[in-house]
Each structure stands twice: as C-alpha cells, then as structure tokens.
Amino acid sequence: MSQPVENRAPWWQVMAIGRNPRTTLVRMSITLVLVFIGFRASLQPILVQGISMQPTYQEGQRRFLNKLAYRAAPPQRGDVIGIREAGKQVLLLKRVVGLPGERLRIVQGTVLIDGQPLDEAYLLPPTNGVRNPARWNVPELQLGQDEHYVIGDNRSMRQADHYFGIVERNRIVGRLIRP
Amino acid sequence: MSLSPRAIRAAGGTTLLLLAGLGLWAFIPTEEQRIRKVLEQAGAAVSADGAPGGSAPAGGPGGPLATLGRVGRLTQCLTRDVEVQVDVFGGLSGNLQGVEEVRAAAAGLVQHLPGLQVRFSEVEIREVAPPEARATLVATIDTGGREGRAAQEFELRFRKWEGRWYISRVATVRALRSR
C-alpha cells in the first residue's frame, strides 16, 4: 500500500500568493476595498492652482487634505485648509489667521488679532525691511462663534486681486498635509 | 378550511385597492421631484443643443429663432418678479429684477456664447414648504470658448403657483466674505 503524496506548493509561491490562492484573492479584494473606502473618507487629493498661496505652495503641486483633521479639534491659527468653493471638487486653499470670537484688522499689511500683531513666518522674507509690500488694509471686524478668517500667503498681490475673508466652519473640508 | 366567495371577493378588492394606492404613490412625483424637473428644464434651456457660431441660419440650431426658443423656455421656469443676484470674485457682479430683465440678459448671453453648456450637480433641495422652497446647487458652466469651464455655487428660491414650481430668486454663493 502506497503512502499518499503530499502536494505542497513551493515556498516562493506561498510567499507570493499564499497556500490557497483563492483565499488570498478574497483577502486582497477586501483589503483593497477597505483601503479605498478609508482613503475616500479621510483624504482628498488636490491640485494647487493659482498664485495666492505662494511662496508656500506653487501652481501645479499635488497635495492631500486630511478630511478628518477637524473631527475632534477645531482649526488652529496657521493651518492651511481646504475650503469648499463650489461643490465638493472646487476648493480654495487658504491659511487660517483669525479664530472664532477674535477681533481682527489689517493695517498696512500687518494682521492684528485683538490688537496684537500676528507673527507670520510663512510670508516672503522682508525686502528692504518691508514684509508686506502690498500694504493691505481691512477695517476691524469681530468674528462670530462659527467663523474663521483666512488669507493666502501671497501678500505681494494687490488686495483687490486676492480672495480672502471670513469663512464659516461648515465650508472647511480639512487641513492640508505638509509633504 | 375553505373561504367563502364573499371573503375571497373582499380580499381581492382590498389587494386591488392597495395596489392602486401603491401605484399612485409611486407615479405621482413628490414636490422635490417637481422642483428638480424645473431645474432640468432651466438647465436644458440655457445649454446649447446645436452648432455654435454667430452665422447660423435663422431657423438653425444656433440661429436667432433657436435663441428665442431657448430664452423662452428659460423664462417659463421663472416667476414674473424673479430676482437674480450675481457676485463672483474677480468676475461678474450685478442684479437683475423681473423676468424681462432676465430675458434680455439671457438672450445676450446665449448669443455671445452660442456653445454655452450648463450642467447642474450637487442639487440639494431644502425647506420644501409649499408655496416656498429653497435649493443649493453647483452649476458647471462651459462657455465652449477659451475661457473653458467654471463651477459656481448658487442658492435658489422657488415659489409654487397653480400647482407648478417656478424659480423666484437666484443668487451666487461666495465661500469667503468680508463683513
């Protein structure tokens, strides 16, 4: 009486596709679906367009937004955020400078929060001692409990050409993930 | 156990009534569906359905008669006192009051942009309380020219009159605002 011959797969095949290829395929499919769902729920890819966030971000750069960033904590000053402009696909990229409840004004390009100048290290280095050559001015305003004030980093633009201002919390999609 | 003919007739009648009720429920559109229909009609009226070009024959798809037809179909979706408020950063800004002003503006728009295509997406119909309703949507506007494609969010108000919904107000929505 002969012994049954055990038909074992070679080690490299086990490493590559497992002992049971069908089970491996099912596991891979489930993993891919879960990764896809997780990706869609937590990250949003964006393509930077325009010059309002220069020099920090350049036109044509690809980045990701963390859509879960503000589930537990509100946006912080200095965060670069994605703002819903037209539907879910067209977003604005801006930096948070004013938080809910604060008094804000801009005098000759300097942002004042509750009367104190804001140190904005992310702006272009001073040229001949001038940090904000555009010399923007915005009269004092009081932010509501659901409002943030956002501006792009490019303050060398004309104030009239730069889209900035108050955004409501429900329009903020997430925080930009730095490379 | 056998059922009497009378019981069978009663059960049959009840089933028929239930089926008729179900059929009515399924085929009679809801207020939201009626509003969506009006939006579809408005979008189709504005969008070009024929060959672009200012030299189109009068009766052709891009000609004056077709333009009149498109504008006419659009105004059928509007109340007589319709109000249009446009305020786009770096773009158009202004108000239109009444269906005649909208008709004139739409005719000019359609003639200048014969390849215009408008598609509505992310339509959210809220606060449906006849005779009033509100909606927000994203209009993707393809001018067919070098300007390319743009997306803009709008807020709309509707009014119901003699069983039909009409658009009574259209306003652009800005993500960022000054106080």
Side-chain angles (χ1 to χ4, degrees):
Chain A
M1 207 170 94
S2 61
Q3 291 286 322
V5 178
E6 197 176 343
N7 189 17
R8 297 188 70 175
W11 67 269
W12 54 267
Q13 192 179 325
V14 174
M15 287 291 285
I17 56 172
R19 290 188 199 289
N20 186 338
R22 193 176 295 176
T23 311
T24 306
L25 195 68
V26 171
R27 280 180 185 155
M28 271 177 62
S29 305
I30 292 170
T31 307
L32 279 174
V33 168
L34 288 176
V35 166
F36 180 74
I37 291 170
F39 184 85
R40 289 292 299 264
S42 60
L43 295 174
Q44 177 157 347
I46 59 161
L47 172 67
V48 179
Q49 289 185 319
I51 58 168
S52 79
M53 280 304 287
Q54 287 181 0
T56 316
Y57 297 100
Q58 307 293 330
E59 179 148 11
Q61 286 182 327
R62 290 176 193 276
R63 293 288 182 272
F64 286 96
L65 278 182
N66 176 3
K67 294 200 282 186
L68 304 178
Y70 301 129
R71 287 287 167 94
Q76 300 297 307
R77 196 186 328 277
D79 286 358
V80 177
I81 59 173
I83 298 161
R84 193 163 45 80
E85 161 72 347
K88 291 170 186 154
Q89 297 303 316
V90 183
L91 303 179
L92 296 169
L93 205 59
K94 299 287 172 188
R95 192 180 292 275
V96 177
V97 295
L99 301 176
E102 292 181 337
R103 280 181 299 115
L104 180 145
R105 67 179 166 138
I106 302 176
V107 180
Q108 295 289 299
T110 300
V111 178
L112 300 170
I113 304 292
D114 293 332
Q116 298 299 312
L118 182 66
D119 181 25
E120 298 186 277
Y122 37 79
L123 300 182
L124 280 169
T127 307
N128 299 328
V130 178
R131 165 144 270 176
N132 301 310
R135 302 279 174 184
W136 299 3
N137 288 291
V138 172
E140 184 167 282
L141 52 90
Q142 173 85 43
L143 293 170
Q145 288 308 308
D146 205 25
E147 294 174 339
H148 294 73
Y149 203 89
V150 295
I151 319 182
D153 288 355
N154 188 353
R155 310 287 170 81
S156 62
M157 297 170 72
R158 281 177 59 233
Q159 183 174 348
D161 295 338
H162 194 112
Y163 191 23
F164 67 102
I166 301 165
V167 62
E168 285 174 12
R169 175 74 181 83
N170 62 8
R171 283 200 167 262
I172 298 175
V173 178
R175 186 176 61 213
L176 197 78
I177 297 172
R178 296 283 326 237
Chain B
M1 195 184 92
S2 64
L3 290 171
S4 67
R6 193 173 170 183
I8 292 169
R9 275 201 298 275
T14 309
T15 310
L16 275 175
L17 271 175
L18 278 172
L19 283 173
L22 208 67
L24 276 175
W25 179 77
F27 286 105
I28 292 179
T30 62
E31 298 293 358
E32 189 174 325
Q33 286 169 327
R34 288 181 172 145
I35 291 170
R36 284 181 188 274
K37 189 85 179 165
V38 173
L39 287 173
E40 275 174 33
Q41 285 172 1
V46 177
S47 297
D49 50 2
S55 59
L65 287 180
T67 301
L68 276 176
R70 283 165 66 183
V71 173
R73 284 195 297 278
L74 173 68
T75 53
Q76 282 171 10
C77 304
L78 311 174
T79 58
R80 292 199 66 76
D81 61 347
V82 64
E83 188 185 354
V84 178
Q85 291 186 342
V86 179
D87 180 17
V88 181
F89 179 78
L92 286 172
S93 177
N95 290 359
L96 298 171
Q97 193 76 46
V99 74
E100 291 309 321
E101 278 190 23
V102 176
R103 188 198 304 271
L109 193 72
V110 167
Q111 274 185 331
H112 277 91
L113 302 168
L116 183 72
Q117 290 283 345
V118 179
R119 190 172 55 81
F120 298 137
S121 60
E122 299 183 41
V123 179
E124 277 184 45
I125 294 168
R126 303 175 293 183
E127 300 173 44
V128 182
E132 301 281 334
R134 284 169 182 250
T136 56
L137 58 82
V138 175
T140 306
I141 301 152
D142 191 345
T143 59
R146 279 188 304 176
E147 295 85 359
R149 190 180 289 183
Q152 175 65 48
E153 189 172 323
F154 287 92
E155 187 180 73
L156 289 91
R157 286 187 197 163
F158 298 84
R159 198 182 307 146
K160 195 175 184 184
W161 188 65
E162 292 188 348
R164 192 179 185 281
W165 286 98
Y166 296 87
I167 299 168
S168 61
R169 186 172 182 272
V170 180
T172 51
V173 177
R174 280 180 68 158
L176 305 184
R177 55 187 169 78
S178 48
R179 182 63 74 198

